[in-house]
Amino acid sequence: MNFKRIVAFMLILVMALSAFASCGPEETPEVSTEPNNTSAPEISGNETEASPDETTAEVTEEVTTVPEETTTEPKVEYPTITIAEALALCEQFVDSASSERYYIRGIVKEIQSETYGQMIIEDSTGSIMVYGSYSADGSIRYDAMTQKPVVGDEVLFHGTLQNYKGNTKEIQNGRIIEFKANGYVPEAPKLPAFDTTLTIAEMLALPLASNQVTEGRYYVEATVDSVTNAAYGAMMIKDATGTISVYNSKNADGTVDYANMSDKPVKGDTVKLYCTVQNFNGTFEIKSAYIVEFKHNTVDESAYTAMSIADARNAAEGAKVKVEGIVAQITYATGMVPSGVVLVDATGSIYVYDGDLAATVKKGNKITVAAEKTWWVLDTELANAQKFGYKGCNQITNAWILANDNGTNDFDKSWITATTVKDIIDTPVTEDISAKLYKVTALIKEVPGSGFTNFYINDLDGVTGTYSYSQCNGGDFEWLRAFDGKICTVYVMALNAKSTASDCFWRFLPVAVIDEGFDPASVNAAEYAVKYHGIPQFTATTFTGDPAIELLTSVSSDLLGFTGVKLTYTSDNTTVVSISEENGKLVLHCLSTGSANVTITAEFGGKTYRETIKFTVNASESVTASTVKEAIDAALDSTVTVKGIVGPSLVNQSGFYLIDNTGIIAVLCDASVFDTIKIGNEVVIEGVRFHKTNGGDTYFGQSCVKEAKIVANYYGSHDYCTDFFVTDKTVADFYALDAKVDYSTTVFVLKATVEFTGGGYSTNVNLVSGSDKISLYCSGAGQYSFLQQFAGQEVILEVAACNWNSKTYWRGCVLAVRTADGKVVNELNFAH
């Protein structure tokens, strides 16, 4: 070959290579497995309302994410994982989604949200939820995409993984890399054959639509975790694969309800159930269960120490105790579900808090119980209980029945102390008497309410007492109705103490009542008069001034059938304490510093009874105090000492209004303070200047002094100043008050009609003028019982603006009603 031919050949070869290069495949974009943080915001969590993303990017041009297959373009191989592998990876990511994105391919089985592209995809290994779908670069949400996968399409997602809150495994922020229509129609899910044994996990995975119930039954073997409602045989059961609730259960052939079974499974027992399963609004449960067989399981008794109930009461917190006793009473929670029992032996009584145990015993059963010792206080009351030194209900819990004679035994009463309702109520909560039985003579009184009934256990004065502690609106004490209005022998305990910010007081549980035909003549009327009427006049016995206490001179009782028990008083030091008759009334005065013994004597029916009280009178110290206006202007959270007149009561708060000639302010204090003051007393208080608010910017809240204590009481019966009360406003003006401005130290004198409204569980009080209306702050109309006499009448009222619960408007607190004869004052907290 000569040189010319060689050059020509080379030119042809170069041209051919150049042509071949220009006809080759286009460059394929690089596929990355790293997270893309330059596109749409990442979504965390499984929110129910605004997910996955409330914002949609403005779409100017849709980029097709479906590459067309051609014979000249090689298919991109993505590093995909199966859905089963994705589900396994999800286990690692509970607190937050994975930082890495994964490629996952599947068939769209269901579109759950056309807006966000939330869907279920599946492959041969399982199914998983995609929580939000986007275009390949994450910039366009599913609803804005012009081309997007639908049910039956095969789709490739690139997304993060998470097991949201530990119970929902999902692909988050799934970017649709590619998809194609398969014409795929998922097969209808099939239930396993009926009469087979399933694990709980398999039950939870049954393909049931919402509110669908299986037609046939399955077997399941599990352990009873708890009996949640013994009336229906509702329970929680568990096995190695999970937990499920049982809606109701019966005996093996379904003819006897759980409650009526003579022997039945309880907490800790192994059961075999033959049952239907339902998807109840998204929650799987056993709808109906036949208890085919069961085995009672018990705890290791060697871990528990046998002892008397008296010793169990004194056992340490957390001690494992074994006690034997008679079931004296069963307590009930909401819905009349058994919640616990009172257990009694020859040494004492204790409360057993265990619903499973309570559901399987009856009054009179003699049982042996293994349990843990504890003291119980409601979580929301714990701080208040600690404030007043209340330890809690003396009880045992997490109980196991070791033996039950199924008998009808009477509980031992030989050890029970005879006392009075008054003495139990007056016992300090620092003394551990909770769940301790006492024997009292008491009046049973039924008082129907709005949607509930209270049954009172009152002392012989007919008023000292409290109502039975009920969680069933009184339904658990209907057995007391047979004793309504009767004075009976009552075996009662202070089951626990209600602990509030202002007080801590005992709540009663009657255990047994015996009508022994009480004879009023058996009461020593003279002793009764001194104890129930004479002594209670003196809520305080130490004074720094003259309280000028008007004394009772005669006591009568319609309940006990006597009249005219005469009371007399003598002082052994009349220079300190004197008792004199003034304008037909007997008045006790404190005249000078020192001490004196005052003896109260009662005579009736030839009987005499007396008791002596020691009075101490201290010198009145000079206290430097600010005016009410200065207290209002004081720095928040600073300690203030203020002098003023004790004014009317607050409502639905423990406290009163303090008033002088410069202003008025609400004062919050413990209920015990009301034992030492009366409306009209001149006092000096010390407390913390406070602004009660939840921090909102659409209301002011409430100005007040909190944690107030009485520094000095100069007594007297002074009228509070009203010179600064606003008298030129109407109900409409009050309604229009700006909630952002502090009106809580302002009192308005308004003309309005008193209106009581509501019924059932809710009653309210309003002040009405024409078409205008304002509501009074209260927890129920009963707190304004002093206004009942004015219901439907137009009257003149002194109304303080208040906002204790962060409303966007002011509500009223009535101080008094002005009448032609004077004032009817709000004495709510003073009448406790």
Side-chain angles (χ1 to χ4, degrees):
M1 185 180 296
N2 60 28
F3 179 76
K4 289 183 179 180
R5 287 187 177 183
I6 292 173
V7 171
F9 177 80
M10 293 298 292
L11 288 173
I12 293 170
L13 180 60
V14 169
M15 291 174 65
L17 289 173
S18 175
F20 179 80
S22 66
C23 295
E26 295 178 0
E27 182 177 352
T28 302
E30 181 181 351
V31 178
S32 173
T33 60
E34 294 299 317
N36 184 347
N37 294 320
T38 62
S39 55
E42 297 297 325
I43 309 299
S44 70
N46 215 12
E47 304 299 329
T48 58
E49 294 183 358
S51 60
D53 186 3
E54 288 292 355
T55 60
T56 303
E58 183 179 352
V59 180
T60 56
E61 180 180 356
E62 177 61 50
V63 179
T64 300
T65 61
V66 187
E68 295 181 3
E69 265 189 72
T70 66
T71 56
T72 60
E73 181 178 339
K75 185 175 182 179
V76 178
E77 294 296 332
Y78 295 96
T80 60
I81 60 174
T82 66
I83 289 177
E85 291 170 334
L87 293 170
L89 285 169
C90 284
E91 296 285 357
Q92 308 173 38
F93 310 114
V94 176
D95 296 329
S96 59
S98 63
S99 58
E100 181 179 354
R101 287 181 173 273
Y102 298 87
Y103 288 93
I104 303 158
R105 193 184 299 275
I107 304 297
V108 180
K109 185 178 179 182
E110 177 185 0
I111 303 290
Q112 297 178 327
S113 171
E114 294 287 350
T115 301
Y116 305 113
Q118 181 172 307
M119 63 183 71
I120 303 295
I121 65 170
E122 68 176 8
D123 65 9
S124 61
T125 69
S127 62
I128 193 171
M129 182 175 74
V130 181
Y131 188 67
S133 304
Y134 298 82
S135 59
D137 63 359
S139 64
I140 303 173
R141 196 172 64 183
Y142 182 87
D143 57 334
M145 294 172 61
T146 56
Q147 297 184 47
K148 52 195 173 186
V150 295
V151 172
D153 289 354
E154 181 181 281
V155 62
L156 175 66
F157 278 104
H158 191 212
T160 58
L161 299 174
Q162 185 174 7
N163 185 8
Y164 182 69
K165 291 188 177 180
N167 57 28
T168 305
K169 297 175 181 179
E170 59 191 26
I171 300 170
Q172 291 195 354
N173 300 292
R175 297 177 182 176
I176 301 170
I177 303 304
E178 61 182 25
F179 69 92
K180 63 179 180 180
N182 270 1
Y184 171 82
V185 179
E187 292 184 9
K190 295 181 179 179
L191 291 170
F194 295 132
D195 292 343
T196 59
T197 299
L198 302 180
T199 65
I200 290 177
E202 289 171 332
M203 285 186 165
L204 296 173
L206 290 174
L208 297 174
S210 182
N211 296 315
Q212 181 183 0
V213 185
T214 60
E215 295 180 2
R217 292 179 175 269
Y218 298 98
Y219 290 99
V220 61
E221 295 185 36
T223 300
V224 178
D225 195 41
S226 65
V227 177
T228 54
N229 191 324
Y232 305 105
M235 59 183 76
M236 294 294 297
I237 62 172
K238 63 182 179 181
D239 66 9
T241 69
T243 302
I244 194 170
S245 66
V246 179
Y247 180 72
N248 63 39
S249 59
K250 300 183 179 184
N251 69 339
D253 61 6
T255 58
V256 180
D257 291 337
Y258 177 92
N260 297 319
M261 292 174 61
S262 58
D263 190 21
K264 49 200 168 192
V266 294
K267 178 182 64 178
D269 289 351
T270 302
V271 295
K272 183 175 183 179
L273 305 178
Y274 185 50
C275 56
T276 59
V277 183
Q278 78 166 343
N279 176 354
F280 180 68
N281 294 331
T283 299
F284 280 72
E285 65 182 9
I286 290 173
K287 172 70 173 176
S288 169
Y290 297 161
I291 302 170
V292 177
E293 59 186 46
F294 63 92
K295 175 187 175 183
H296 289 308
N297 297 320
T298 59
V299 295
D300 179 9
E301 292 186 42
S302 64
Y304 297 80
T305 302
M307 61 183 69
S308 68
I309 286 179
D311 288 337
R313 287 184 61 88
N314 295 321
E317 178 86 25
K320 293 182 178 294
V321 303
K322 182 166 69 173
V323 295
E324 180 184 83
I326 306 299
V327 176
Q329 187 57 274
I330 299 173
T331 61
Y332 297 87
T334 303
M336 289 296 292
V337 176
S339 58
V341 305
V342 175
L343 199 62
V344 183
D345 69 1
T347 68
S349 59
I350 198 167
Y351 182 57
V352 185
Y353 176 63
D354 192 292
D356 291 289
L357 180 147
T360 56
V361 300
K362 295 180 179 179
K363 287 174 61 177
N365 288 174
K366 183 178 182 179
I367 62 176
T368 303
V369 175
E372 296 177 14
K373 173 62 190 296
T374 187
W375 282 267
W376 175 83
V377 177
L378 187 66
D379 287 345
T380 55
E381 297 180 7
L382 185 59
N384 294 326
Q386 292 172 343
K387 174 181 176 182
F388 292 103
Y390 172 54
K391 194 172 183 178
C393 175
N394 196 327
Q395 65 181 33
I396 54 177
T397 188
N398 296 326
W400 297 83
I401 298 178
L402 305 179
N404 186 347
D405 75 346
N406 293 305
T408 55
N409 310 282
D410 194 10
F411 61 89
D412 193 313
K413 301 178 177 66
S414 62
W415 62 272
I416 299 175
T417 301
T419 185
T420 66
V421 171
K422 182 178 186 300
D423 285 342
I424 299 174
I425 288 177
D426 290 344
T427 302
V429 293
T430 52
E431 187 175 336
D432 189 12
I433 68 166
S434 65
K436 183 178 179 180
L437 273 173
Y438 290 96
K439 178 183 178 181
V440 300
T441 301
L443 170 68
I444 308 296
K445 187 177 180 181
E446 178 184 0
V447 181
S450 299
F452 62 91
T453 299
N454 285 330
F455 290 92
Y456 281 80
I457 311 296
N458 285 340
D459 216 322
L460 296 182
D461 60 353
V463 294
T464 302
T466 186
Y467 53 83
S468 301
Y469 175 49
S470 172
Q471 297 184 67
C472 306
N473 295 324
D476 44 342
F477 293 114
E478 288 189 357
W479 60 276
L480 290 175
R481 184 166 289 128
F483 306 101
D484 181 33
K486 297 181 179 180
I487 297 177
C488 302
T489 297
V490 181
Y491 291 90
V492 67
M493 62 171 52
L495 180 61
N496 56 35
K498 172 71 173 178
S499 302
T500 69
S502 60
D503 200 3
C504 202
F505 54 90
W506 295 114
R507 299 198 287 195
F508 280 9
L509 174 69
V511 173
V513 177
I514 304 172
D515 183 2
E516 297 181 305
F518 173 77
D519 180 9
S522 64
V523 176
N524 183 332
E527 179 181 358
Y528 167 87
V530 171
K531 286 187 173 181
Y532 287 88
H533 295 275
I535 293 175
Q537 296 176 97
F538 309 111
T539 55
T541 57
T542 300
F543 301 95
T544 56
D546 182 12
I549 301 172
E550 183 180 335
L551 301 175
L552 287 171
T553 58
S554 180
V555 173
S556 299
S557 172
D558 292 335
L559 180 64
L560 300 177
F562 59 77
T563 59
V565 179
K566 184 179 180 182
L567 289 175
T568 59
Y569 308 82
T570 57
S571 169
D572 67 357
N573 189 344
T574 56
T575 61
V576 175
V577 176
S578 73
I579 296 152
S580 59
E581 187 173 339
E582 302 172 7
N583 300 319
K585 298 178 181 179
L586 202 62
V587 182
L588 181 147
H589 292 284
C590 291
L591 304 177
S592 62
T593 59
S595 62
N597 294 312
V598 174
T599 300
I600 309 172
T601 303
E603 296 178 352
F604 189 81
K607 294 181 180 179
T608 301
Y609 185 84
R610 59 175 54 90
E611 285 199 27
T612 299
I613 303 173
K614 183 178 180 179
F615 285 81
T616 301
V617 182
N618 296 322
S620 178
E621 297 181 4
S622 176
V623 180
T624 302
S626 66
T627 65
V628 171
K629 181 63 168 63
E630 288 169 335
I632 293 172
D633 294 338
L636 293 179
D637 298 321
S638 65
T639 298
V640 293
T641 303
V642 197
K643 186 176 183 179
I645 304 301
V646 175
S649 174
L650 302 181
V651 175
N652 207 35
Q653 300 288 332
S654 180
F656 59 92
Y657 284 101
L658 187 70
I659 307 170
D660 67 3
N661 59 0
T662 70
I664 180 172
I665 192 167
V667 175
L668 298 175
C669 60
D670 289 341
S672 59
V673 169
F674 292 99
D675 290 333
T676 64
I677 60 174
K678 293 181 179 179
I679 294 176
N681 286 171
E682 183 179 38
V683 298
V684 176
I685 67 160
E686 182 181 272
V688 178
R689 179 67 176 90
F690 188 60
H691 175 206
K692 190 177 189 305
T693 176
N694 288 334
D697 57 6
T698 58
Y699 55 86
F700 174 81
Q702 181 77 35
S703 287
C704 62
V705 175
K706 69 174 183 176
E707 300 170 7
K709 298 179 180 179
I710 304 298
V711 175
N713 190 342
Y714 303 112
Y715 302 100
S717 183
H718 307 277
D719 291 331
Y720 56 84
C721 180
T722 62
D723 293 347
F724 53 86
F725 287 11
V726 178
T727 59
D728 60 348
K729 300 298 181 182
T730 64
V731 169
D733 294 329
F734 189 103
Y735 181 84
L737 293 175
D738 188 344
K740 298 179 182 179
V741 177
D742 184 11
Y743 286 104
S744 63
T745 58
T746 305
V747 178
F748 298 85
V749 179
L750 303 174
K751 179 184 288 187
T753 299
V754 178
E755 175 189 76
F756 285 80
T757 63
Y761 293 97
S762 177
T763 53
N764 299 290
V765 190
N766 303 309
L767 301 182
V768 182
S769 178
S771 60
D772 300 309
K773 177 188 297 187
I774 59 174
S775 61
L776 301 184
Y777 173 66
C778 61
S779 64
Q783 292 182 321
Y784 274 109
S785 58
F786 84 99
L787 288 181
Q788 285 281 1
Q789 59 187 302
F790 304 106
Q793 300 179 36
E794 186 178 63
V795 290
I796 305 296
L797 308 102
E798 298 172 355
V799 184
C802 66
N803 189 2
W804 293 100
N805 54 352
S806 300
K807 297 292 186 183
T808 56
Y809 53 87
W810 290 103
R811 290 205 277 187
C813 177
V814 175
L815 276 62
V817 178
R818 295 181 176 181
T819 69
D821 299 324
K823 288 185 181 181
V824 179
V825 179
N826 180 356
E827 299 181 354
L828 177 65
N829 290 330
F830 296 91
H832 75 297

